[in-house]
């Protein structure tokens, strides 16, 4: 995958996300644009509301990119979805931000040559000023994953970060604020 194609796709999806919840299922998303090993996490804050969207290549999560073809693959997809349906336990905001998760949605999407997991969720935080860091358990759960490209926009500004496999914490202070 060449990066000159990938960046406009990410930016298009991100700008839609940033401007409202209706963008979460935007048709701009394209599985062909993903890079194996690299997931994307977009985060948009509007005061107490933090909306998240995660896209992860099927390769990174279950090791294949097609519809499940046998019991073992069906089980792998089911297991992944059951974990991704609790994304707030994978990307954990600090206790003192007092956040509550809602609207969790996870699905496995397949296209001709690629497949991926698409996860959306909302965190409502009573003290968003404290939501300036996030614990990441993604890599310990999904050990094929290598990197997450994080894009965040919020009361404190915008930030784009690459979170590598050995990182367990993300600094959101450039984007998220009270
Ligand atoms: Zn792929």
């Amino acid at each position: 995958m060449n990066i000159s194609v990938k960046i406009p796709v990410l930016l298009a999806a991100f700008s839609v996300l940033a401007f409202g919840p209706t963008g979460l299922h935007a048709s701009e998303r394209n599985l062909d644009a993903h890079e194996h090993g690299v997931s994307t996490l977009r985060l948009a804050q509007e005061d107490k509301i933090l909306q998240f969207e995660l896209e992860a290549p099927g390769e990174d999560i279950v090791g294949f990119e097609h519809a499940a073809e046998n019991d073992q693959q069906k089980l792998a997809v089911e297991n992944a979805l059951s974990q991704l349906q609790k994304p707030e336990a994978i990307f954990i905001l600090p206790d003192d931000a007092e956040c509550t998760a809602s609207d969790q949605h996870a699905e496995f999407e397949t296209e001709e040559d690629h497949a991926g997991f698409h996860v959306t969720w909302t965190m409502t935080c009573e003290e968003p000023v404290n939501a300036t860091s996030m614990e990441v358990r993604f890599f310990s759960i999904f050990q094929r994953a290598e990197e997450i490209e994080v894009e965040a926009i919020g009361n404190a500004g915008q930030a784009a970060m690459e979170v590598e496999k050995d990182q367990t914490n993300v600094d959101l202070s450039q984007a998220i604020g009270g």
Side-chain angles (χ1 to χ4, degrees):
M1 186 56 241
N2 107 28
I3 198 151
S4 66
V5 175
K6 190 177 172 198
I7 285 173
V9 171
L10 284 175
L11 291 179
F14 186 53
S15 60
V16 169
L17 173 66
F19 289 110
T22 53
L24 289 172
H25 299 285
S27 58
E28 285 88 346
R29 295 185 309 103
N30 179 354
L31 295 171
D32 282 344
H34 73 206
E35 178 183 345
H36 294 172
V38 181
S39 297
T40 62
L41 177 66
R42 287 180 283 272
L43 164 55
Q45 176 197 16
E46 200 176 318
D47 301 324
K48 292 184 176 184
I49 308 296
L50 279 66
Q51 289 188 310
F52 290 80
E53 179 176 33
L54 172 73
E55 291 183 76
E59 181 68 36
D60 295 30
I61 303 297
V62 291
F64 56 88
E65 297 213 346
H66 48 73
E69 289 167 352
N70 55 45
D71 288 348
Q72 190 185 352
Q73 291 178 348
K74 284 178 191 161
L75 187 62
V77 171
E78 280 172 24
N79 284 343
L81 285 173
S82 75
Q83 286 185 291
L84 292 168
Q85 278 156 1
K86 292 179 186 166
E88 70 276 16
I90 302 174
F91 299 97
I92 302 167
L93 293 168
D95 284 345
D96 60 3
E98 298 177 32
C99 303
T100 307
S102 62
D103 298 329
Q104 300 94 327
H105 181 78
E107 62 190 312
F108 183 51
E109 300 172 329
T110 57
E111 279 184 4
E112 204 171 319
D113 297 322
H114 292 278
F117 288 84
H118 182 220
V119 188
T120 55
W121 70 104
T122 299
M123 299 295 279
T124 304
C125 301
E126 292 306 315
E127 301 290 345
V129 70
N130 295 325
T132 52
S133 68
M134 183 170 65
E135 183 187 344
V136 175
R137 295 189 182 163
F138 187 73
F139 299 111
S140 59
I141 297 171
F142 303 111
Q143 298 192 352
R144 291 181 183 85
E146 301 288 336
E147 182 185 317
I148 306 171
E149 292 179 349
V150 178
E151 297 177 25
I153 184 169
N155 288 21
Q158 292 189 41
M161 294 156 281
E162 292 186 355
V163 180
E164 304 288 344
K165 198 178 181 71
D166 58 357
Q167 254 180 285
T168 54
N169 205 64
V170 184
D171 178 4
L172 297 174
S173 61
Q174 301 293 311
I176 308 305

